[in-house]
């Protein structure tokens, strides 16, 4: 059976599969049940009529804590007027990278951005029926803090913290930032372009590192980051409201096929994109993502091609999840993005009281305990997609050879006429 790697083995250095961009979210689940926040206020001896004063005081404490973090690192807290992703014509990430370059920061806190954004929080309202005050969850706007830093292990990353209860937290990590630092420690040489590796030595060892990333003790890692920015976690634990429950809200699992030369990939890419747009049916896209089309399927499968500053990409979407193909210099990347993990099933051990455990296929949840499931689903989807591209022929080579035959040639001082494949005489020669 022909595979993509076997078809193009002379032009390919190898491939690696690794997490790319990842978004973790932390939720204080103990606040979610009805009247839970009321019980917390009572545990702090706060009356509902003093709710406004209390939450403002807590936000002030949080603000002071963040100012101390910035001052200790010799960095600044910068307020952004716009709550949009693009601020001052640049994204927050671009601004942070610009500051890091300007100030020569290679490790530690870069800066803290603060901006007003939408959130879910609590408020106290009067109930007309009971004639009493009550705590309700409500959509609000409040200040959010973005900590941009270069971590010793995870590299460039950021932490987003909501300044009001229930202090929702988000962490952005890039798996390839982590991988680069691991390779540096082990003396593995590589060539890097942005968050892509163009060439990697000791490929098998590097792929084992990628597997090790999956099995990190993620709850411990994420809790450590949360403790740095949220000073109220000890208070919440003392009040028996626990700590954050961590979920993987979005994950990109990318398979990078490293070509020896960019021009080889460039000549092949138009055919790959054309094939992906015109030849892959809805059945194919579902199969790539480990699903089958059936009568109970309720959803939409879409495919589109988009031009980006770096080049073109083809993307297929199914119920919030997607798989796409694009190039990054001399790398062909197949990337699966998972935002709705329950669309996939994983094999679980179900424990039953006084009975033997059984193994069942269950929908995959967002909890970080499913990191291995995310990686397995994404890796398998990328592999199926890549193998389907083995059918793509590099037409550029044939065209180049035919073009050479259609040019006059001089050899040993003698001129030979060019091939004219459309002429009647030469068509008769080929027919014979």
């Amino acid at each position: 059976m022909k595979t993509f790697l076997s078809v193009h083995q002379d032009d390919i250095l190898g491939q690696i599969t690794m997490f790319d961009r990842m978004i973790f979210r932390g939720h204080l689940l103990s606040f979610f049940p009805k009247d839970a926040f009321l019980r917390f206020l009572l545990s702090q001896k706060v009356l509902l009529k003093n709710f406004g004063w209390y939450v403002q005081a807590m936000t002030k404490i949080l603000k002071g804590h963040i100012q101390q973090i910035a001052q200790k690192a010799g960095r600044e807290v910068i307020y952004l007027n716009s709550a949009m992703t693009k601020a001052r014509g640049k994204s927050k990430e671009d601004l942070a990278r610009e500051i890091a370059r300007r100030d020569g920061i290679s490790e530690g806190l870069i800066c803290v951005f603060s901006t007003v954004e939408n959130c879910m929080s609590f408020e106290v309202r009067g109930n007309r029926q009971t004639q009493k005050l009550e705590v309700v969850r409500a959509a609000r706007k409040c200040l959010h803090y973005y900590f941009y830093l270069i971590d010793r292990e995870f590299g460039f990353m950021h932490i987003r913290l909501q300044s009001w209860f229930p202090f929702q937290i988000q962490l952005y990590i890039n798996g390839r930032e982590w991988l680069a630092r691991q390779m540096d420690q082990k003396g593995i040489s590589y060539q890097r372009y942005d968050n892509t590796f163009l060439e990697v030595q000791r490929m098998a060892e590097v792929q084992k590192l990628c597997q090790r990333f999956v099995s990190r003790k993620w709850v411990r890692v994420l809790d450590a980051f949360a403790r740095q920015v949220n000073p109220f976690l000890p208070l919440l634990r003392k009040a028996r409201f626990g700590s954050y429950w961590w979920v993987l809200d979005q994950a990109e699992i990318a398979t990078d096929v490293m070509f020896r030369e960019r021009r080889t990939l460039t000549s092949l890419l138009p055919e790959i994109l054309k094939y992906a747009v015109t030849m892959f049916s809805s059945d194919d896209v579902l199969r790539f993502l480990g699903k089958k089309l059936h009568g109970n399927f309720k959803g939409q499968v879409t495919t589109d091609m988009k031009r980006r500053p770096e080049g073109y990409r083809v993307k297929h979407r199914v119920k919030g999840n997607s798989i796409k193909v694009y190039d990054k210099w001399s790398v062909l990347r197949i990337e699966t993005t998972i935002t709705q993990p329950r669309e996939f099933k994983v094999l679980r051990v179900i424990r039953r009281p006084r009975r033997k455990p059984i193994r069942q296929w269950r929908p995959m949840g967002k909890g970080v305990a499913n990191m291995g499931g995310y990686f397995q689903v994404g890796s398998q989807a990328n592999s199926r997609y890549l193998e389907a591209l083995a059918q793509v022929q590099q037409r550029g080579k044939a065209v180049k050879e035919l073009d050479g035959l259609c040019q006059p040639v001089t050899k040993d001082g003698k001129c030979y006429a060019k091939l004219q494949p459309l002429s009647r005489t030469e068509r008769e020669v080929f027919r014979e």
Side-chain angles (χ1 to χ4, degrees), residues 52-285:
W53 168 83
Y54 176 73
V55 294
Q56 288 179 15
M58 295 291 277
T59 299
K60 187 175 181 181
I61 292 171
L62 178 62
K63 183 178 180 180
H65 176 72
I66 292 169
Q67 291 284 357
Q68 288 180 359
I69 292 174
Q71 290 175 4
K72 186 176 180 180
R75 308 312 300 162
E76 57 183 334
V77 179
I78 304 170
Y79 177 75
L80 301 177
N81 291 320
S82 173
M84 303 293 289
T85 302
K86 296 290 184 180
R88 303 181 186 177
K90 298 179 181 178
S91 69
K92 297 181 185 70
E93 180 177 327
D94 290 338
L95 285 172
R97 290 187 183 277
E98 189 177 278
I99 292 171
R101 285 193 297 269
R102 182 194 69 192
D103 297 345
I105 299 174
S106 57
E107 188 176 319
L109 184 68
I110 299 171
C111 63
V112 181
F113 294 132
S114 64
T115 186
V116 176
E117 295 180 349
N118 295 325
C119 69
M120 288 298 297
S121 187
F122 301 98
E123 63 181 32
V124 172
R125 294 177 184 171
N127 188 315
R128 292 184 178 181
Q129 294 181 345
T130 62
Q131 299 295 309
K132 293 181 180 180
L133 295 175
E134 63 181 16
V135 179
V136 297
R137 284 175 59 83
R140 306 286 299 271
K141 284 188 175 183
C142 75
L143 206 63
H144 289 72
Y145 293 98
Y146 286 80
F147 301 79
Y148 279 89
L149 62 147
I150 300 176
D151 184 71
R152 181 173 299 178
E153 180 180 1
F154 294 101
F156 184 88
M157 59 175 291
H158 80 250
I159 306 170
R160 175 183 182 264
L161 179 65
Q162 179 178 316
S163 65
W164 287 4
F165 283 96
F167 304 116
Q168 298 283 67
I169 191 170
Q170 171 183 298
L171 278 85
Y172 164 91
I173 288 175
N174 191 304
R176 281 168 168 74
E177 287 273 341
W178 177 90
L179 183 58
R181 279 158 175 73
Q182 293 296 310
M183 289 192 291
D184 288 340
Q185 290 179 14
K186 293 184 176 296
I188 301 174
S189 61
Y190 58 89
Q191 290 185 23
R192 186 175 178 180
Y193 169 73
D194 192 24
N195 69 328
T196 305
F197 300 106
L198 306 180
E199 183 177 353
V200 172
Q201 302 299 318
R202 293 151 59 182
M203 195 77 65
E205 186 177 347
V206 171
Q207 193 58 64
K208 287 181 180 179
L209 287 174
C210 298
Q211 292 287 348
R212 202 178 85 190
F213 178 81
V214 178
S215 59
R216 291 283 279 113
K217 296 185 181 302
W218 283 102
V219 172
R220 185 183 301 175
V221 170
L222 299 170
D223 278 345
F225 281 117
R227 286 194 297 269
Q228 293 178 31
V229 298
N230 188 343
F232 303 130
L233 291 179
L235 172 66
L236 297 177
R237 283 195 294 272
K238 186 177 180 180
R240 297 184 178 180
F241 275 76
S243 188
Y244 287 111
W245 179 65
W246 293 100
V247 301
L248 188 50
D249 200 56
Q250 178 177 319
E252 297 174 350
I253 303 95
T255 297
D256 287 356
V257 181
M258 293 167 275
F259 280 75
R260 295 181 186 277
E261 296 182 351
R262 172 173 165 76
R263 63 181 180 180
T264 305
L265 175 58
T266 302
S267 65
L268 180 63
L269 189 65
E271 297 301 326
I272 288 177
L273 298 177
K274 180 181 177 181
Y275 192 89
V277 171
T278 61
M279 301 302 291
F280 290 156
S281 64
S282 298
D283 266 345
D284 292 324
V285 175

Side-chain angles (χ1 to χ4, degrees), residues 223-395:
D223 278 345
F225 281 117
R227 286 194 297 269
Q228 293 178 31
V229 298
N230 188 343
F232 303 130
L233 291 179
L235 172 66
L236 297 177
R237 283 195 294 272
K238 186 177 180 180
R240 297 184 178 180
F241 275 76
S243 188
Y244 287 111
W245 179 65
W246 293 100
V247 301
L248 188 50
D249 200 56
Q250 178 177 319
E252 297 174 350
I253 303 95
T255 297
D256 287 356
V257 181
M258 293 167 275
F259 280 75
R260 295 181 186 277
E261 296 182 351
R262 172 173 165 76
R263 63 181 180 180
T264 305
L265 175 58
T266 302
S267 65
L268 180 63
L269 189 65
E271 297 301 326
I272 288 177
L273 298 177
K274 180 181 177 181
Y275 192 89
V277 171
T278 61
M279 301 302 291
F280 290 156
S281 64
S282 298
D283 266 345
D284 292 324
V285 175
L286 288 169
R287 179 175 61 83
F288 298 148
L289 293 172
K291 303 178 73 66
K292 293 182 179 179
L293 186 61
H294 53 78
N296 294 326
F297 177 76
K298 295 181 180 178
Q300 194 175 33
V301 181
T302 62
T303 295
D304 67 81
M305 184 164 69
K306 182 179 180 181
R307 184 174 183 176
R308 308 169 299 128
E310 302 87 355
Y312 288 91
R313 68 103 179 102
V314 172
K315 187 173 186 178
H316 317 272
R317 298 177 178 85
V318 183
K319 291 188 175 182
N321 302 311
S322 66
I323 186 167
K324 62 184 176 181
V325 55
Y326 59 99
D327 68 310
K328 298 201 75 170
W329 194 247
S330 59
V331 167
L332 178 69
R333 174 171 289 183
I334 314 297
E335 183 177 282
T336 297
T337 302
I338 301 174
T339 61
Q340 300 294 330
R342 293 189 66 81
E343 291 298 314
F344 307 100
K345 290 186 177 181
V346 292
L347 194 60
R348 295 190 182 282
V349 176
I350 309 301
R351 303 189 182 280
R352 303 177 296 175
R354 299 181 182 180
R355 300 171 68 184
K356 289 184 178 181
I358 60 173
R359 294 165 69 87
Q360 287 185 350
W361 289 97
R362 295 289 183 88
M364 184 169 69
K366 282 196 170 188
V368 294
N370 292 297
M371 281 280 289
Y374 273 76
F375 191 70
Q376 182 180 22
V377 167
S379 300
Q380 292 176 349
N382 294 346
S383 179
R384 286 188 284 264
Y385 195 97
L386 193 59
E387 297 318 311
L389 293 179
Q391 306 301 319
V392 178
Q393 299 296 320
Q394 191 169 356
R395 299 180 185 276

